Amino acid sequence: MELHALFPTVVATDRMAMDPLMLAGQLQTLLSLRGEAYSNPDEGCAWTGDLNGIWQLHEHHDFRSLADEVIARVWIYLEQTGFDLDQIALHLQRCWPVLSAAGQVVGRHHHPNAHVSAIVYLSGDGQGREGALCLHARHQLNELVPGLAVGHGGPIRDHHPHNQHLWTFNPEPGLVVIFPSRLDHSVGENMDEESLRVSLSFDFVLTAQDSSAPAEYLAPHPHQWHRCERPLS
């Protein structure tokens, strides 16, 4: 019997070369930007820059070259997933740091305001004690009976490739992960008392190109938008 794995969700990974001196400077910059803050705001939740006014990190001189490398990889991701690059424009909407101390997590969520998301890790030893990235399956048709793939003694074998409910990545400096923004993801607890888990998140939006009429369901380029002023009361 032949099995056909249909409708795959494409997640890309790559490794970015990290200069040790530049990396040390970037970590110091992030600690300075975080300041006295520690969590977000619950003590068990990691500190995230997007909720603390640090959401355009790609404009900071310490991170511009890193952002350029991520952008180049996102273009490759789009091409390799079937997009005609001559018909789309790519916009970097947000870039923010996430700092997770011991005992902290990031809850399951997705980014409804974006189309493509990316993460770059600035710390980690590849073992996952600082908290693994978890990508969650939104639908599991192969479990047949809803809920079986979660486990708890059910009849589906653990970690079977056709019935996985999550996929994990262990952080290490230079690891890049690119995925659809609608994909649910979370971060496990940082179990290393001596380590701070540090990553940068990126959100991208696709539109039509400036000089072309948009395809159905693809937003026109922002240059073609018309701002509607609020009427005076």
Side-chain angles (χ1 to χ4, degrees), residues 10-218:
V10 179
V11 177
T13 59
D14 200 3
R15 297 297 189 279
M16 184 183 299
M18 307 294 286
D19 178 84
L21 292 179
M22 182 177 293
L23 177 59
Q26 290 170 333
L27 292 173
Q28 288 300 315
T29 296
L30 295 178
L31 290 174
S32 177
L33 291 172
R34 184 181 69 167
E36 298 299 320
Y38 175 76
S39 56
N40 211 30
D42 185 279
E43 290 186 0
C45 296
W47 181 88
T48 63
D50 57 330
L51 295 183
N52 290 277
I54 313 298
W55 57 277
Q56 289 185 306
L57 199 61
H58 54 286
E59 300 289 352
H60 193 289
H61 61 83
D62 286 352
F63 299 95
R64 285 174 185 160
S65 61
L66 185 151
D68 288 341
E69 289 197 50
V70 174
I71 291 169
R73 286 167 168 82
V74 172
W75 277 115
I76 295 172
Y77 172 86
L78 292 172
E79 183 174 36
Q80 293 187 349
T81 51
F83 284 86
D84 181 351
L85 303 189
D86 292 332
Q87 296 191 45
I88 59 174
L90 179 66
H91 308 269
L92 176 51
Q93 184 187 68
R94 289 183 176 89
C95 174
W96 68 98
V98 179
L99 278 63
S100 178
Q104 293 184 331
V105 303
V106 176
R108 179 171 174 170
H109 66 289
H110 64 280
H111 300 176
N113 57 294
H115 300 141
V116 181
S117 294
I119 302 173
V120 177
Y121 293 93
L122 304 186
S123 68
D125 60 6
Q127 301 302 310
R129 282 185 50 79
E130 303 93 341
L133 170 67
C134 301
L135 301 179
H136 302 266
R138 301 191 72 180
H139 305 287
Q140 288 184 261
L141 299 181
N142 292 343
E143 66 181 350
L144 304 183
V145 180
L148 281 187
V150 176
H152 306 298
I156 298 177
R157 294 193 296 275
D158 291 340
H159 312 299
H160 192 280
H162 295 307
N163 263 300
Q164 290 180 293
H165 67 281
L166 60 83
W167 193 15
T168 61
F169 297 89
N170 294 333
E172 56 183 307
L175 173 64
V176 184
V177 184
I178 303 171
F179 55 94
S181 301
R182 290 184 293 176
L183 186 61
D184 284 356
H185 53 286
S186 63
V187 176
E189 181 179 353
N190 184 345
M191 303 294 291
D192 190 337
E193 293 287 341
E194 304 299 323
S195 296
L196 181 67
R197 182 186 185 279
V198 182
S199 62
L200 306 181
S201 296
F202 298 77
D203 271 352
F204 295 87
V205 168
L206 303 181
T207 71
Q209 291 194 348
D210 193 5
S211 58
S212 63
E216 188 177 13
Y217 303 121
L218 186 63

